[in-house]
Amino acid sequence: MRPLLALVCALVLVDTVFFSALTPLLPHYTRAAGLTKAGVGVLVACYPAGTLVGSLPGGLLVARLGYRWVAVLGLGLMSAATLIFGWTSVAVVLDVARFVQGIAGACTWAAGLAWLSASAPDDRRGQLLGTAMGAAVVGALFGPVVGWAANQLGTGPAFSAASVAGAALMLAAFAVPSPKPSGSPSLREVLPALRDPRLATGMWLMALAGVAFGVVDVLAPLRLARLGADSTVIAATFLCGAVIESCVAPVTGRFSDHFGARRPVMIGLAAGALFGVLICLPDSVPWLIPVLVLGTPFFGSLYTPAAAMVSEAAQDQKVNHGIAFALTNLTWAAGQAVAASASGVLAEATSDVVPYLLLGAACLLTLGGMLRLRFFSFGTVRSWHL
């Protein structure tokens, strides 16, 4: 499992580097491309919109072509789109390149997580998926650093170097054995599996986490910049939050393996509801930074138990793991895309308070639903009852 785990960790790490590098660059592109707050929201939303479009095709490709080839396809698209993104300041080209990055990310995430999930032992699946999620967060650590370097050195050289890393991973993928995908490759066979509460709940939690980061990634950098923070401070803020999140992901995975996913999910939801209120209060950089650093990891903590739920349901329902994780890509992307674009427009029409309070309300309503859900664990078999 070690070579495969290392490869999957590298796949998701590189993807999140490309994804999160944009955050500290938003003030730069606001000036260079003449973007309004709504335009920034559209730019941020283009990546999850691409993931939304590419999710189901990516999952079907995994089921038919296998894990390795879809991972290589995603890496190739990601490297090319990132190279173009680095050398342009035209708003439309930036949006299109970001959209293609999202399609590429749908392929690499579906292939990588399905590859790992299908190969993992039942009693270690949550831990291994948590480790991969932790690696994705480590990528989010370096993304703001890449964005900061792009501010200092120029976006072209910085993103060109990131593209080289993607090309190197394409070669590394051929050094790891790839088993034949199991489960039905048909979307028609997935419909009955959606009645499994683990699959439905995992998909919704992925969507909710996408909504949370869609709101935060658009509004928080602009608010920090408006309060006087430069790109270095913005990058450091998201870096510190990602450090905490990368430590939390493997722990929640092990916790889910031994005690079930319900408890870490409820903790994350309760903290998310509180974050939606507290983020509205600080009006200075020294107060806003701690709220972001300590609050955002709780949204990230939803990913690992959600992935464990989806993986377990796919195993029991005989659904192809590539298609199962394509569904989580789909719901995450829908949440992120809608939240990123709508939060910018809504904040411009009203204030930042409204999107944040709506986010807190969504967490609170989901927590209320989870309180009605009873979760029992019998070894590696879990049952959900309303």
Side-chain angles (χ1 to χ4, degrees):
M1 291 300 299
R2 288 183 180 179
L4 174 58
L5 180 61
L7 175 65
V8 174
C9 286
L11 285 175
V12 297
L13 183 146
V14 168
D15 179 75
T16 53
V17 164
F18 292 159
F19 174 71
S20 60
L22 179 63
T23 301
L25 286 170
L26 289 177
H28 161 77
Y29 282 116
T30 300
R31 297 187 299 270
L35 300 178
T36 63
K37 187 178 287 188
V40 169
V42 170
L43 179 61
V44 173
C46 279
Y47 184 103
T51 302
L52 184 66
V53 171
S55 291
L56 290 181
L60 292 172
L61 285 175
V62 170
R64 287 168 169 77
L65 301 180
Y67 309 113
R68 177 189 292 125
W69 286 108
V70 179
V72 169
L73 172 64
L75 287 168
L77 287 174
M78 181 68 75
S79 298
T82 300
L83 192 64
I84 293 171
F85 190 89
W87 291 99
T88 186
S89 59
V90 179
V92 174
V93 180
L94 289 170
D95 290 341
V96 172
R98 195 69 174 164
F99 183 82
V100 175
Q101 284 180 333
I103 295 175
C107 292
T108 55
W109 274 82
L113 292 183
W115 196 345
L116 182 61
S117 174
S119 304
D122 288 344
D123 60 347
R124 294 185 59 208
R125 185 174 290 120
Q127 178 184 351
L128 293 171
L129 288 170
T131 302
M133 292 296 180
V137 177
V138 171
L141 295 176
F142 286 100
V145 175
V146 171
W148 173 83
N151 256 325
Q152 308 302 314
L153 305 175
T155 56
F159 286 122
S160 296
S163 296
V164 172
L169 275 179
M170 293 171 66
L171 299 176
F174 289 96
V176 179
S178 177
K180 184 178 179 180
S182 60
S184 173
S186 172
L187 286 176
R188 185 176 302 173
E189 301 297 325
V190 176
L191 295 178
L194 291 175
R195 292 196 294 266
D196 189 319
R198 294 167 298 179
L199 181 58
T201 303
M203 290 169 60
W204 166 245
L205 290 174
M206 287 285 190
L208 182 59
V211 168
F213 285 108
V215 173
V216 173
D217 288 349
V218 169
L219 300 183
L222 298 180
R223 187 175 178 190
L224 285 168
R226 187 168 62 250
L227 293 173
D230 59 16
S231 62
T232 302
V233 172
I234 295 172
T237 299
F238 283 86
L239 179 67
C240 291
V243 166
I244 297 174
E245 188 181 338
S246 67
C247 297
V248 168
V251 174
T252 56
R254 287 193 294 270
F255 195 91
S256 297
D257 283 334
H258 293 291
F259 303 105
R262 183 170 177 261
R263 292 179 184 176
V265 166
M266 292 181 68
I267 293 171
L269 291 172
L274 184 61
F275 174 88
V277 176
L278 294 180
I279 193 67
C280 302
L281 302 179
D283 56 0
S284 65
V285 172
W287 284 100
L288 182 58
I289 287 176
V291 174
L292 289 169
V293 169
L294 298 177
T296 53
F298 285 102
F299 294 116
S301 72
L302 299 176
Y303 286 128
T304 298
M309 291 179 200
V310 170
S311 175
E312 192 176 78
Q315 189 85 0
D316 292 346
Q317 299 293 332
K318 310 301 181 186
V319 174
N320 181 273
H321 285 257
I323 294 178
F325 280 103
L327 291 174
T328 65
N329 281 339
L330 187 70
T331 54
W332 170 85
Q336 177 100 10
V338 170
S341 55
S343 63
V345 174
L346 187 59
E348 200 163 26
T350 56
S351 71
D352 290 4
V353 172
V354 176
Y356 283 129
L357 289 180
L358 289 175
L359 171 60
C363 291
L364 195 60
L365 289 172
T366 304
L367 178 60
M370 292 294 294
L371 288 173
R372 297 179 58 233
L373 210 56
R374 295 293 183 265
F375 182 79
F376 302 93
S377 178
F378 303 94
T380 59
V381 179
R382 295 174 168 87
S383 302
W384 291 71
H385 299 283
L386 287 176

